[in-house]
Amino acid sequence: MSRVLGDVGERVGEEVQVERGPLGPAQFWRGQWRYVVGELLDSWVETAPWWQRPADVPGGASADLVAPREVYRVEAVRAGRSRMSFAGVYDLCWDAADNRWSLVRVHD
């Protein structure tokens, strides 16, 4: 089971601060809590669905339509907790067009 953060169909989630390592996120902050990434489980690139094209763009592809975002599925644990007991799986998204990281999904 997973929880999507933000409304269905939106490209937004909970904004987070991320420290990036050589392969992807190394740690991230949700509010006051720091989460340490133990393992990168998967990564992929997404583009916005075609139906989310801005209404003010007359025909043709818009920058928002083709702008990719990187998604990283990581196993992470809140700093100071045992990875064996308290690890969770999180989908973190880097949206270059908005220049921000967001937490888009938490897997239970």
Side-chain angles (χ1 to χ4, degrees):
M1 176 184 219
S2 63
R3 290 178 280 143
V4 176
L5 302 176
D7 294 333
V8 174
E10 283 188 328
R11 292 182 52 174
V12 298
E14 177 183 339
E15 189 166 352
V16 292
Q17 300 300 315
V18 173
E19 179 182 305
R20 197 170 188 157
L23 299 177
Q27 57 186 342
F28 63 96
W29 287 261
R30 282 182 83 185
Q32 68 184 29
W33 304 110
R34 179 172 63 101
Y35 291 79
V36 178
V37 174
E39 185 175 352
L40 173 64
L41 302 174
D42 200 1
S43 65
W44 61 91
V45 175
E46 296 179 346
T47 56
W50 63 266
W51 61 86
Q52 289 185 346
R53 185 174 75 188
D56 60 344
V57 177
S62 71
D64 289 338
L65 180 63
V66 296
R69 65 181 191 163
E70 302 169 30
V71 181
Y72 297 88
R73 181 162 292 162
V74 299
E75 181 185 70
V77 64
R78 199 167 81 196
R81 296 223 171 163
S82 164
R83 182 175 176 212
M84 298 303 290
S85 302
F86 296 102
V89 177
Y90 305 89
D91 287 355
L92 299 168
C93 174
W94 167 246
D95 191 331
D98 292 336
N99 192 32
R100 73 180 209 123
W101 282 93
S102 56
L103 175 62
V104 292
R105 192 169 290 111
V106 177
H107 301 272
D108 292 341

